[in-house]
Amino acid sequence: MTENETQSSTELAGEMEKLNATDCTTSIEEDKDGDIVDPWKVESKSAKGVDYDKLIKRFGSSRIDQQILDKIEKVTGKPVHHLLKRGIFFSHRDLNIILDLYEKKKPFFLYTGRGPSSDAMHLGHLIPFIFTKWLQDTFDVPLIIQLTDDEKFLWKDLSLEECHRLAIENAKDIIACGFDKEKTFIFADTDYISQSRAFYTTMCRIQKCVTFNQARGIFGFQDTDCIGKISFPSIQATTSFSVAFPQIFNGRKDIPCLIPCAIDQDPYFRMTRDIAPRLGYHKPSLIHSTFIPSLQGAQTKMSGSDPNSSIYLTDTPKQIKTKINKYAFSGGGATVEEHREKGGDCDIDISYKYLTFFLEDDGKLEQIRKDYTSGELLTGYLKKDLIAMLQEIVAKHQEKRKQITEEEVLEYMRPRKLIYDY
Amino acid sequence: MTENETQSSTELAGEMEKLNATDCTTSIEEDKDGDIVDPWKVESKSAKGVDYDKLIKRFGSSRIDQQILDKIEKVTGKPVHHLLKRGIFFSHRDLNIILDLYEKKKPFFLYTGRGPSSDAMHLGHLIPFIFTKWLQDTFDVPLIIQLTDDEKFLWKDLSLEECHRLAIENAKDIIACGFDKEKTFIFADTDYISQSRAFYTTMCRIQKCVTFNQARGIFGFQDTDCIGKISFPSIQATTSFSVAFPQIFNGRKDIPCLIPCAIDQDPYFRMTRDIAPRLGYHKPSLIHSTFIPSLQGAQTKMSGSDPNSSIYLTDTPKQIKTKINKYAFSGGGATVEEHREKGGDCDIDISYKYLTFFLEDDGKLEQIRKDYTSGELLTGYLKKDLIAMLQEIVAKHQEKRKQITEEEVLEYMRPRKLIYDY
């Protein structure tokens, strides 16, 4: 590593260009079809939403195909999660490496996160955590969850104190997903950076490897962006490396990482994968999800800032019912007659799409698809099923969240050894 | 402060431009006479060295004139230090504010630092610390010394471990200058940033206030510079604010700061002064020193990287004698006859210049100046006096340094309350 460090920035820049050629194949930009996908914006001109096949090509990641689904079932001996089976987690980088390690009983860890910019988490925010919980249960490995309160302070019109308060509040929603305290470390950046020399020094090593040119190419930074934004990617990258958590990994810097996240976070980890070899660390593997569409349609994702676009984890049963009935974009016919005749279009029907995220019963989902497409099932009935299901999911979540005390949150967020030995 | 924070980066950028007009009047560049003075390079085409009058105009600072020297003596009741009297500390920003505070028995603190890039500290490195020691003794206030090991890692071909080791070694030389343990906190960035939430969050607030454009204008950053360099100035700025040291200032964020430093560090603090009002903090005051010239002449300053340019704190009496005799640029005549006839030129004679830094006796110094200028005193005798004096200074320093234990260094570097109450 010293050898890496002792190279000059310009040498590193040169190396980086080479590495870019292999992994970091795209910069932030709208593609020909007008799909925009970056850490700050997701938009599509198509009612079917972002073209994820195109995105895989643009980002240079790999599709999660039947072969890799079979491999997951083979090495875990368990059926794959419906979010995998249904292509909601649709793309990956080097997932095979992680599966091979698991097969050989070699260690790895999970890393995911959230930017705490609002109290109001919505159903879309739950998806990566629901899936990560399944990964933790299935692979039985440590999970590290990063809450980027400093990022939200730098990007939003929020005070640092407010961002940290939101981190604690969001942590309660995350814990409510059922993560095992003995296997999970949750941290806010402003807490852990000022607690861990290992984390800060890893940040520094990463910051030395990335030039402003490269950061601008990957994230689209402007000269008018503040210097905090420009160095921030190093902070999200640091969590990919076990060396930043000596209390968990006993100082080992060779424990690989699997990152489940929405595809818009990929730029951070393309950068991370590019620099990892130079620092003597493993490239993190990734598994990418699509976005849960807004109630108004798949052109945009659920947004915490637009109440009518999202079902919040704090919504009442009545609010859920009203929002679905009033706003959920329908792929059904304009009239009952037209619907009976032409049938509904599941590709653009938001209620149906939500069922694919939350209805675990494949048989029931397929039956609904058939009946809705044929026109037999009316939008009203489809929505009725969805409303009942979401009311139950949200109510259960609220119940679990209520039971989580401040003390419990602080325990999840205390830097400490987990039950795993290294 | 929240109000400040809740402004968008672009609004802040706008404000910054206005502020720049008032304080941050120059960017890194060579002036017409070919003087280069920035945190990374000091060079002049003139044998008399940098034109410090021009520098004051270029930087927009104020000259330390007789009036302010008188004021210092008036409020302290003590004669001013010879480094002040002789114009080696020649420039300031808002020093009057600090003197007025002191007169009113209001608190302030001292901040200086060093970039630990080498074991080999030389006489030039001692100057700011010798003067800072006098300030601490005279004003009896807390002193904070920042060792920027992360900076040196980012700028030099050194490992982070090596930079931290150098920070500890340099701390011993600094402590040997006689700073009072109960009044002094010394820290390395990689230690204190990962120990203090107050320091890291202050860094974040500063990073939100400075755009890449502004950093480039002040420091001359290139697009090929790493992102760590671009955000680093926020770390050197943070130490100017008492809020970053709650253990010392009991959480008060309104204790003003006086920074004695070499003039090449001014860009960091121009930036700091520009953003301070927006964060609700006091602008730091500064007092700037000239550079101790290299043995070869005043065109360049002593450099740790060129052994023949400097007297090191580790040099033996024999090495000191050899270096002065062999390398110290002479303003004397080429022959004894010529010297007797034309006399010596104290403006370019390095041995004489060194005497102005280290010979405290004004009468003796003036006598030497007269005799050397008249040609009565030969260069050889001038050098003889200087050699004897430097041998004694360096020997005494080495003696003091030897007595400093690892434990003592760690105590100076332990975040803790000092003897002052707030």
Side-chain angles (χ1 to χ4, degrees), chain A residues 39-192:
Chain A
W40 306 282
K41 195 172 191 191
V42 174
E43 230 175 66
S44 171
K45 292 202 167 68
S46 157
K48 295 182 183 176
V50 173
D51 182 332
Y52 290 106
D53 290 322
K54 280 227 178 78
L55 210 55
I56 284 176
K57 287 200 198 73
R58 235 180 90 208
F59 282 11
S61 62
S62 310
R63 158 161 297 293
I64 292 180
D65 53 18
Q66 193 53 49
Q67 191 186 5
I68 202 157
L69 291 177
D70 295 343
K71 184 168 181 175
I72 295 170
E73 295 198 332
K74 173 173 163 288
V75 302
T76 64
K78 295 174 186 158
V80 292
H81 194 274
H82 70 276
L83 290 171
L84 267 173
K85 206 165 29 186
R86 297 175 191 168
I88 289 162
F89 278 84
F90 72 106
S91 158
H92 75 93
R93 294 184 187 274
D94 288 345
L95 180 55
N96 283 297
I97 294 178
I98 296 292
L99 296 174
D100 293 340
L101 285 170
Y102 181 75
E103 204 169 16
K104 299 193 190 94
K105 307 204 172 344
K106 295 265 175 62
F108 71 94
F109 72 101
L110 294 166
Y111 157 31
T112 189
R114 151 152 182 91
S117 57
S118 151
D119 275 309
M121 280 177 71
H122 56 60
L123 281 176
H125 295 132
L126 273 193
I127 298 300
F129 293 108
I130 289 170
F131 183 65
T132 302
K133 166 78 164 84
W134 179 80
L135 289 171
Q136 183 180 58
D137 294 344
T138 303
F139 292 97
D140 189 16
V141 291
L143 164 63
I144 298 175
I145 299 173
Q146 177 173 26
L147 303 171
T148 55
D149 57 343
D150 48 1
E151 175 205 10
K152 291 307 172 183
F153 166 70
L154 290 167
W155 261 266
K156 303 266 182 180
D157 293 346
L158 295 168
S159 77
L160 207 38
E161 293 72 14
E162 175 65 0
C163 292
H164 187 257
R165 186 190 70 77
L166 291 170
I168 304 291
E169 287 309 305
N170 290 175
K172 291 178 186 169
D173 286 295
I174 292 166
I175 292 166
C177 293
F179 295 106
D180 184 333
K181 194 188 296 174
E182 295 188 298
K183 302 176 177 181
T184 308
F185 173 49
I186 305 176
F187 71 94
D189 288 344
T190 60
D191 292 326
Y192 190 59

Side-chain angles (χ1 to χ4, degrees), chain A residues 314-323 387 391 394-395 398:
Chain A
T314 50
D315 283 346
T316 62
K318 190 167 175 311
Q319 286 173 309
I320 293 171
K321 184 179 179 186
T322 311
K323 283 186 187 179
I387 289 164
Q391 285 174 331
V394 170
Q398 292 171 354

Side-chain angles (χ1 to χ4, degrees), chain B residues 307-325:
Chain B
N308 295 336
S309 77
S310 312
I311 305 296
Y312 292 113
L313 300 178
T314 50
D315 283 346
T316 62
K318 190 166 175 310
Q319 285 173 310
I320 293 171
K321 184 178 179 187
T322 312
K323 283 186 185 178
I324 298 290
N325 283 329

Side-chain angles (χ1 to χ4, degrees), chain A residues 286-343:
Chain A
L286 285 108
I287 177 162
H288 301 118
S289 76
T290 63
F291 308 102
I292 191 166
S294 71
L295 284 158
Q296 287 70 18
Q299 290 89 338
T300 58
K301 63 173 180 174
M302 270 194 191
S303 153
S305 49
D306 175 5
N308 296 336
S309 77
S310 312
I311 304 295
Y312 292 114
L313 300 178
T314 50
D315 283 346
T316 62
K318 190 167 175 311
Q319 286 173 309
I320 293 171
K321 184 179 179 186
T322 311
K323 283 186 187 179
I324 299 289
N325 283 330
K326 192 166 170 193
Y327 298 113
F329 182 79
S330 168
T335 64
V336 174
E337 294 63 32
E338 186 192 324
H339 186 76
R340 295 282 186 214
E341 189 198 323
K342 298 184 178 164

Side-chain angles (χ1 to χ4, degrees), chain A residues 246-264:
Chain A
Q247 71 279 10
I248 295 174
F249 300 106
N250 192 28
R252 283 184 63 176
K253 58 176 205 176
D254 63 343
I255 311 291
C257 174
L258 171 62
I259 305 170
C261 63
I263 187 77
D264 62 337

Side-chain angles (χ1 to χ4, degrees), chain B residues 2 16-17 230 244 251 290 308 312 335:
Chain B
T2 312
M16 183 82 168
E17 301 313 335
I230 290 163
T290 63
N308 295 336
Y312 292 113
T335 64

